[in-house]
Amino acid sequence: MERLIPTLKKDGVELDLILLIRTILAATKEIAFRVSQGELSGVLGSTLDENIQGEVQKKLDVLANQLLKDMLSDDDSVRSIASEEEEFVVPVHSTAPYIVAFDPLDGSSNIDINGQIGTIFTIYRARDDVAANSPEQFAQLGTEQVCAGYVLYGPSTYLMMTTGGPTRGYTLDLTHGGYLLTVPEVTLSQDSMEFSANMANYRYWQEGVQHYFDQVLYSSEDYKDVTMRYNGAMVGDINRILIKGGVFHYPSDARAGNENGKIRLLYEANPLAMLIEKAGGKATAHGKRIMALPPTSLHQRVPVVMGSNNLVDEFDKAIFSNSNV
Ligand code: FBP
């Protein structure tokens, strides 16, 4: 099986970007090891601190964040870092070519129950018109991403990544510690009837969204074969959707702080949207392409629906014709 670096070279990826990707993946191998040690290495449980999102930080969140920050800070090609666990942009090398944003551990609620969790990352070219510590560095459209990916820490450690070409799947080979190309080109199935949503939030959803799910669950013949899966970690749900098709929803809702949903645009929605689009799928917020949404703040949230075109289109058509959301 082909290794990661020769695949990236074949894809015409520039050398310094390949080296930066290698830095990120080196951190994920260390995280994968710590995750696999679980209780043995005392990394489970919470700290007493809260992050900028108002969430109690898990020990593994903090550890994974520090590992990525340390390794990226030693990489000469990195100008700025943004993370779900960092309130502000971390400036690194003021004239370096790239900026990196990441969610060090997506699916925090799964950490203590040995569930699937993952690291989501995205790389952009640095802007020369703003300072390295400015949030404006990251005020770039998702379409400007030069690389997007995630590593899923599950039964195997699995990498999905695009550098602007096809979405490709790699598996970490523990015998020599390298990622091997296991799915050369991911193509999203267009005829899945599987959806992923936290239905427990139904009461807080807007009327149009409730009406859509009433159709799906109770009345529409089109959905009689529908099924549901929800992992609690978006990275796990999106991995299943990339492999089997389906659609993921995290709508906005009436709860305080959820007016724009829960998923963060910069280091969750945009990188996952790029992987979905490069696999032939769609990713929208309020019926608009997520990767074309102008960012307004570092940790902004967006309502998301992403996956198989047919299911995304049906949701957007149903919502926007029924309730003018
Ligand atoms: P974290 O990055 O803090 O884990 O938050 C994101 C997330 O865990 C997603 O991975 C997941 O889809 C969602 O939140 C679960 O939220 P809820 O518990 O409200 O369904």
Side-chain angles (χ1 to χ4, degrees), residues 49-83:
D49 306 322
E50 272 191 8
N51 64 16
I52 173 67
Q53 333 280 344
E55 297 156 345
V56 174
Q57 288 181 307
K58 298 279 185 178
K59 290 182 191 166
L60 260 177
D61 280 326
V62 175
L63 188 138
N65 185 57
Q66 199 58 47
L67 271 169
L68 281 155
K69 248 175 64 177
D70 292 349
M71 290 195 179
L72 288 168
S73 301
D74 289 344
D75 188 311
D76 297 343
S77 72
V78 177
R79 184 177 302 195
S80 316
I81 294 170
S83 162

Side-chain angles (χ1 to χ4, degrees), residues 51 53 55 61 84-85 103 105-109 120 197-198 201 230-237 248 250 255 258 262-264 267-268:
N51 64 16
Q53 333 280 344
E55 297 156 345
D61 280 326
E84 181 181 301
E85 303 303 332
D103 177 355
L105 270 186
D106 179 60
S108 308
S109 61
I120 308 173
N198 185 344
N201 297 339
Y230 191 68
N231 184 299
M234 185 176 181
V235 68
D237 288 314
F248 177 90
Y250 207 109
R255 288 170 294 177
N258 269 31
K262 181 178 183 179
I263 307 303
R264 278 50 61 118
Y267 39 76
E268 292 175 324

Side-chain angles (χ1 to χ4, degrees), residues 5-264:
I5 307 285
T7 307
L8 294 178
K9 284 185 176 158
K10 264 197 210 150
D11 284 346
V13 178
E14 51 212 62
L15 186 57
D16 55 2
L17 181 55
I18 292 178
L19 297 175
L20 174 52
I21 291 168
R22 206 172 59 173
T23 299
I24 295 171
L25 297 181
T28 65
K29 292 174 193 172
E30 177 69 24
I31 297 169
F33 174 71
R34 301 296 187 93
V35 167
S36 69
Q37 294 291 96
E39 204 65 82
L40 299 173
S41 59
V43 293
L44 301 187
S46 299
T47 68
L48 299 174
D49 306 322
E50 272 191 8
N51 64 16
I52 173 67
Q53 333 280 344
E55 297 156 345
V56 174
Q57 288 181 307
K58 298 279 185 178
K59 290 182 191 166
L60 260 177
D61 280 326
V62 175
L63 188 138
N65 185 57
Q66 199 58 47
L67 271 169
L68 281 155
K69 248 175 64 177
D70 292 349
M71 290 195 179
L72 288 168
S73 301
D74 289 344
D75 188 311
D76 297 343
S77 72
V78 177
R79 184 177 302 195
S80 316
I81 294 170
S83 162
E84 181 181 301
E85 303 303 332
E86 299 286 334
E87 181 166 1
F88 304 109
V89 169
V90 179
V92 189
H93 306 288
S94 59
T95 58
Y98 298 109
I99 60 174
V100 182
F102 53 84
D103 177 355
L105 270 186
D106 179 60
S108 308
S109 61
N110 280 356
I111 290 175
D112 296 342
I113 53 115
N114 200 19
Q116 283 188 326
I117 47 182
T119 297
I120 308 173
F121 60 91
T122 176
I123 305 173
Y124 290 81
R125 295 193 190 287
R127 294 177 54 178
D128 293 328
D129 58 339
V130 294
N133 65 352
S134 165
E136 289 303 305
Q137 278 290 349
F138 294 91
Q140 303 190 44
L141 298 181
T143 48
E144 299 302 316
Q145 296 175 95
V146 292
C147 175
Y150 62 75
V151 172
L152 180 64
Y153 309 110
S156 66
T157 298
Y158 196 70
L159 163 70
M160 280 283 192
M161 188 170 68
T162 173
T163 50
T167 294
R168 304 190 193 284
Y170 305 81
T171 304
L172 182 62
D173 180 342
L174 297 177
T175 58
H176 69 80
Y179 284 98
L180 295 181
L181 182 65
T182 39
V183 183
E185 192 157 339
V186 178
T187 308
L188 222 153
S189 141
Q190 296 306 329
D191 56 17
S192 162
M193 289 306 282
E194 195 169 280
F195 77 91
S196 189
N198 185 344
M199 293 306 294
N201 297 339
Y202 175 96
R203 70 176 70 202
Y204 303 114
W205 289 339
Q206 281 134 352
E207 201 192 314
V209 177
Q210 292 176 337
H211 181 74
Y212 168 80
F213 279 102
D214 293 345
Q215 300 282 312
V216 168
L217 294 173
Y218 309 116
S219 47
S220 164
E221 269 307 294
D222 301 346
Y223 287 96
K224 65 180 177 7
D225 301 323
V226 76
T227 187
M228 185 188 132
R229 294 282 182 277
Y230 191 68
N231 184 299
M234 185 176 181
V235 68
D237 288 314
I238 296 300
N239 194 60
R240 192 187 55 255
I241 288 167
L242 281 167
I243 294 168
K244 292 179 56 186
V247 63
F248 177 90
H249 298 267
Y250 207 109
S252 52
D253 69 55
R255 288 170 294 177
N258 269 31
E259 296 79 5
N260 278 311
K262 181 178 183 179
I263 307 303
R264 278 50 61 118

Side-chain angles (χ1 to χ4, degrees), residues 69 104 284 319:
K69 248 175 64 177
T284 66
I319 301 296

